[in-house]
Amino acid sequence: MKEKNKKGPRFDLTWIYVIIAAVLVYMFVSGNGGLFSSNSEDATYDEFKTYVERGYASKIEANKDKCVLEMRVVKGKESQVFKKQKKDNDLSNAYLTVSYPSNETLQSFIEEQQETGNFTGEISWHEDTKSIWYYLLSNLLPLVIIILIWLFFMGRLTGGKNNSGGGMGGIFNVGKSRAKLVDKDGADKVTFADVAGQASAKQEVQEIVEFLKNPKKYTELGGKIPKGALLVGPPGTGKTLLAKAVAGEADVPFFSMSGSDFVEMFVGVGASRVRDLFRQAKEKSPCIIFIDEIDAVGRARGKNPAMGGNDERESTLNQLLTEMDGFGTNSGVIILAATNRADILDKALLRAGRFDRQIHVDLPDLNERKEIFKVHLRPLRVDESLNLDFLARQTPGFSGADIANVCNEAALIAARHDKTAVTRDDFLAAVDRIIGGLEKKTKVMTVEEKKTIALHEAGHATISWHLQYANPLVKVTIVPRGRALGAAWYMPEERQINTKEQMLDEMCSLLGGRAAEELFTGHVSSGAMNDLERVTKQAYGMIVYMGMSEKLPNMCYYNNDEYSFTKPYSESTAQLIDEEVKKMIAEQYARAKAILADKREGHALLTQRLVDEEVIFAADVEAIFGKRPWTSRTEELLQEEKDSQKEEESKG
Ligand code: ADP
Ligand code: ZN
């Protein structure tokens, strides 16, 4: 049930059917008194005769063709004539419907009654003018209305995202794929030159390019080319770009669609979109299909059948699998899919012959960031003195998309200041802006607050300076940015695996803020919440997943089964885990406090400088505590900054 609740109310065809059925039943049951009712009541010819003789009739209309008449009643006598209880307002235009034996009989009877004075009203005779069209229409109209309403709903529900076929056309395109097609002759053609870095990923997709360019070379030798490849990596790292570049290099069309586009509120739509996408692709073969966010459809199917699961997504996934199996290896359609979580994908998707190879697209390292900057600086008019290396070093952990963003932002900032070229300062401002949200000049800080934040941030800085494995410090600031108050920025060493020592050192310096508050002011503040959250997560990660505690060594309780609510360990282990986490954090906290107590003069100096200057750099910290005994990139960085300063001085 959980699964369904998450999705909120789903609007599928069933609802429409229910509405139609309800309307029909209502019409059927209510009969005369219903939706399209009239105020007529039936009577026999004999009854009619009595009424006329008693003088109740005010007006008679006879239909010659059908031998049916309608009789209106004199005011005040309605209750005598109409047997069914009617509301007063209905009575005024109520009438009797009577079939009579023949026109002659009726005529002679009426003439007779007119002579005796029983009937003084008028009688009109007419022929059946209501054509067959009238009957057709009156019967079909309700149906037409219902269909119109239905169309309206369908249009509304699918029209939102659908820009290809709006209005009435939309409904007939529900099952069509909405893939964007980039033709090979398109203006926005992307090639490998546009994708900076990612050398290994490029090398892997190179094979696909070769195949698309020259399929015969491979098939003649009997070689098999993968039908699909999965690009795995965090958002913004250029997965879409890479897939486009493959198409651009091979000079083939490129279909792009997001996994979430398959999933609609109507049952069966996803599957039919998949079918349509593959049909279109086969027509344009050789070509590339790119499915972004494949996890939207490809998430592992529920293992617990009692849970129900999401039928629509499953049928979409099944269709995707069927299509992938259905076309031969040599049909020239290659599917690239992107996700940042390969581990939650359904295993069936990763089986041989489907997405059987994974290409990792990771966050760029220092040199790759330099390359990416090069690509995105191309269209900008930058200051000549701009140092690419410096920019790359200022942006640790940035993705390609972030860097593209920085370049654009820097250009905007430069333009705002009416500069003729984008300078280093503009880039620094842009980096700051991307990292911390917009700088809020209006946010006021009390002197007391400022002191506390300085103390806290100086705590982080002091600790990290004195721990061998902590990330090297770049700068510390107490200028409020976005939601974060202060911040200490570090240059994460780019490493693939972390040792326990590194992680403990990091934890210790994260706790440094809170430790400084407690040690030097005697009370703690809410400013450490974010730090504590990270510390707690880290400690649990180390103990539960990485087997790094003494009491639970070498155990990994990682469980990627989405639907499993039971922990893969016993209750007593759970207790042990909690204890170990507490112990680990307590140890690191004590360690942080010990370091701070030892370096209290330095910490006080640092705090004062922070209060005075608001921003201090690694060089200032070094002036206080002296050089770190360990060589790290911080030293390199400091050296470089000095060099570039000298350069600038000599230029100026
Ligand atoms: P993803 O699909 O991985 O989320 P995108 O391919 O959509 O990321 O990347 C978004 C943008 O970021 C690209 O359009 C491009 O401008 C920039 N970008 C990302 N990675 C790179 C890269 N390696 N080289 C150049 N630009 C990049
Ligand atoms: Zn902090």
Side-chain angles (χ1 to χ4, degrees):
M1 283 321 281
K2 254 210 165 120
E3 168 80 339
K4 283 209 169 131
N5 289 344
K6 257 194 318 207
K7 296 270 144 53
R10 277 164 54 89
F11 210 101
D12 53 33
L13 278 181
T14 334
W15 276 102
I16 310 275
Y17 294 144
V18 168
I19 292 172
I20 294 175
V23 170
L24 287 179
V25 166
Y26 176 67
M27 283 169 60
F28 192 73
V29 167
S30 52
N32 271 342
L35 263 187
F36 308 96
S37 71
S38 60
N39 286 325
S40 132
E41 223 174 82
D42 292 333
T44 62
Y45 185 59
D46 285 337
E47 282 169 330
F48 162 77
K49 272 167 56 179
T50 345
Y51 293 147
V52 176
E53 281 160 7
R54 291 191 191 156
Y56 294 166
S58 69
K59 190 178 164 200
I60 292 167
E61 284 175 47
N63 184 330
K64 277 188 182 167
D65 292 336
K66 285 186 158 180
C67 287
V68 172
L69 65 78
E70 290 173 4
M71 182 192 104
R72 307 258 159 191
V73 181
V74 178
K75 267 218 164 59
K77 302 290 182 198
E78 291 94 344
S79 52
Q80 314 280 329
V81 177
F82 299 112
K83 286 166 213 149
K84 285 189 207 155
Q85 282 284 321
K86 293 211 177 189
K87 280 181 247 130
D88 290 342
N89 55 343
D90 283 344
L91 283 178
S92 55
N93 45 26
Y95 56 88
L96 272 190
T97 307
V98 182
S99 323
Y100 55 86
S102 72
N103 289 328
E104 290 76 40
T105 336
L106 180 66
Q107 182 141 23
S108 59
F109 173 68
I110 294 293
E111 275 165 14
E112 201 177 283
Q113 294 304 311
Q114 278 170 333
E115 272 164 34
T116 58
N118 288 339
F119 179 62
T120 53
E122 55 181 287
I123 177 161
S124 54
W125 299 89
H126 40 93
E127 266 123 71
D128 199 354
T129 51
K130 291 170 183 170
S131 66
I132 181 147
W133 288 109
Y134 174 86
Y135 288 102
L136 260 183
L137 256 183
S138 62
N139 283 322
L140 286 182
L141 199 65
L143 203 66
V144 170
I145 289 173
I146 288 168
I147 289 175
L148 282 178
I149 291 174
W150 183 59
L151 286 180
F152 173 75
F153 270 111
M154 294 281 279
R156 278 288 288 273
L157 289 170
T158 58
K161 273 197 273 173
N162 183 4
N163 18 23
S164 59
M168 281 310 219
I171 166 119
F172 302 110
N173 287 329
V174 170
K176 293 265 163 65
S177 86
R178 286 175 191 160
K180 262 188 268 131
L181 173 66
V182 178
D183 250 320
K184 52 184 177 183
D185 313 313
D188 50 351
K189 187 167 152 172
V190 177
T191 64
F192 279 160
D194 297 303
V195 188
Q198 307 297 4
S200 65
K202 272 197 222 171
Q203 198 186 341
E204 291 210 45
V205 292
Q206 184 63 40
E207 191 182 24
I208 296 176
V209 174
E210 294 296 326
F211 168 73
L212 286 168
K213 267 187 183 163
N214 194 355
K216 277 216 186 90
K217 188 171 119 193
Y218 289 83
T219 50
E220 271 171 8
L221 291 176
K224 261 195 194 143
I225 285 292
K227 291 177 194 169
L230 201 61
L231 300 168
V232 188
T237 45
K239 296 182 291 295
T240 314
L241 197 67
L242 196 63
K244 262 191 199 150
V246 171
E249 288 286 328
D251 213 14
V252 298
F254 173 78
F255 289 90
S256 124
M257 196 158 167
S258 170
S260 54
D261 287 346
F262 288 117
V263 187
E264 274 285 357
M265 51 293 278
F266 300 121
V267 175
V269 167
S272 109
R273 280 195 186 147
V274 171
R275 231 174 289 130
D276 190 59
L277 174 65
F278 277 79
R279 189 186 49 71
Q280 282 183 32
K282 271 180 225 159
E283 278 167 16
K284 293 248 181 190
S285 140
C287 70
I288 294 224
I289 295 180
F290 177 68
I291 305 176
D292 206 355
E293 301 172 50
I294 188 145
D295 29 311
V297 270
R299 204 176 272 269
R301 284 168 286 196
K303 292 187 180 71
N304 186 350
M307 211 97 82
N310 186 335
D311 298 340
E312 168 62 355
R313 203 188 64 213
E314 279 179 22
S315 68
T316 309
L317 175 57
N318 285 335
Q319 188 63 38
L320 186 65
L321 296 175
T322 316
E323 291 288 345
M324 282 191 82
D325 292 341
F327 63 77
T329 330
N330 303 326
S331 71
V333 181
I334 288 186
I335 312 160
L336 296 174
T339 177
N340 60 351
R341 297 205 50 194
D343 56 327
I344 59 166
L345 291 183
D346 199 287
K347 295 289 168 288
L349 262 179
L350 307 177
R351 220 166 276 153
R354 293 166 185 164
F355 294 109
D356 52 1
R357 61 174 63 192
Q358 296 187 10
I359 300 174
H360 286 270
V361 185
D362 288 321
L363 285 173
D365 67 16
L366 188 71
N367 282 322
E368 288 177 316
R369 286 202 301 274
K370 235 190 276 181
E371 298 294 311
I372 298 176
F373 263 114
K374 255 186 222 159
V375 168
H376 291 282
L377 287 181
R378 252 189 251 148
L380 303 188
R381 197 185 317 141
V382 292
D383 197 63
E384 277 162 28
S385 69
L386 191 75
N387 185 345
L388 265 185
D389 202 54
F390 175 77
L391 287 182
R393 284 189 185 281
Q394 287 298 316
T395 49
F398 277 41
S399 70
D402 293 332
I403 291 177
N405 221 343
V406 165
C407 291
N408 187 45
E409 191 73 31
L412 294 182
I413 292 173
R416 208 172 297 144
H417 294 110
D418 301 318
K419 292 189 186 166
T420 49
V422 192
T423 64
R424 182 183 134 132
D425 287 346
D426 300 323
F427 278 99
L428 284 181
V431 169
D432 280 4
R433 185 165 292 204
I434 305 280
I435 292 179
L438 294 184
E439 196 162 328
K440 285 206 186 89
K441 290 238 163 62
T442 52
K443 190 160 184 173
V444 282
M445 234 196 295
T446 63
V447 179
E448 199 56 33
E449 269 177 350
K450 197 167 164 183
K451 180 94 202 269
T452 312
I453 296 168
L455 207 88
H456 177 108
E457 298 301 334
H460 288 309
T462 307
I463 304 269
S464 68
W465 196 263
H466 292 100
L467 292 177
Q468 180 172 3
Y469 301 111
N471 283 326
L473 188 75
V474 180
K475 70 176 177 183
V476 190
T477 156
I478 55 168
V479 178
R481 270 156 221 282
R483 270 179 23 250
L485 286 172
W489 290 349
Y490 302 92
M491 180 134 317
E493 298 272 11
E494 272 140 16
R495 40 192 182 208
Q496 293 296 322
I497 50 172
N498 293 297
T499 62
K500 186 175 172 184
E501 288 73 31
Q502 286 163 351
M503 295 170 89
L504 288 178
D505 279 4
E506 209 162 290
M507 201 182 280
C508 183
S509 54
L510 272 173
L511 287 164
R514 166 60 63 97
E517 285 175 31
E518 202 199 318
L519 205 58
F520 301 123
T521 68
H523 25 245
V524 292
S525 78
S526 61
M529 189 178 123
N530 191 291
D531 300 335
L532 297 183
E533 186 190 338
R534 280 175 58 195
V535 165
T536 315
K537 269 198 192 131
Q538 171 106 321
Y540 268 102
M542 286 172 71
I543 287 164
V544 183
Y545 301 148
M546 294 168 229
M548 284 183 179
S549 78
E550 275 154 36
K551 290 204 182 128
L552 294 163
N554 307 332
M555 302 275 251
C556 173
Y557 294 112
Y558 184 61
N559 181 2
N560 74 350
D561 183 354
E562 200 192 347
Y563 297 110
S564 164
F565 297 114
T566 52
K567 296 199 174 81
Y569 41 76
S570 69
E571 213 42 55
S572 62
T573 306
Q575 256 174 25
L576 200 58
I577 289 173
D578 288 340
E579 276 163 26
E580 288 287 278
V581 167
K582 267 183 219 153
K583 200 177 105 203
M584 180 180 272
I585 295 178
E587 273 172 16
Q588 292 310 316
Y589 191 63
R591 189 169 162 223
K593 269 165 83 170
I595 294 175
L596 282 172
D598 188 33
K599 309 283 172 194
R600 76 170 59 222
E601 290 84 23
H603 177 268
L605 273 175
L606 207 59
T607 308
Q608 197 49 47
R609 284 203 72 156
L610 265 175
V611 172
D612 294 341
E613 292 168 32
E614 298 200 346
V615 183
I616 55 172
F617 294 89
D620 304 310
V621 184
E622 192 182 280
I624 293 172
F625 292 120
K627 246 184 163 15
R628 291 177 86 202
W630 313 282
T631 46
S632 76
R633 279 239 314 288
T634 317
E635 272 79 355
E636 292 168 28
L637 190 71
L638 286 172
Q639 197 53 46
E640 246 158 63
E641 269 199 324
K642 275 179 199 152
D643 288 351
S644 71
Q645 265 170 11
K646 263 183 215 152
E647 247 172 65
E648 267 169 43
E649 274 161 24
S650 64
K651 259 184 209 159

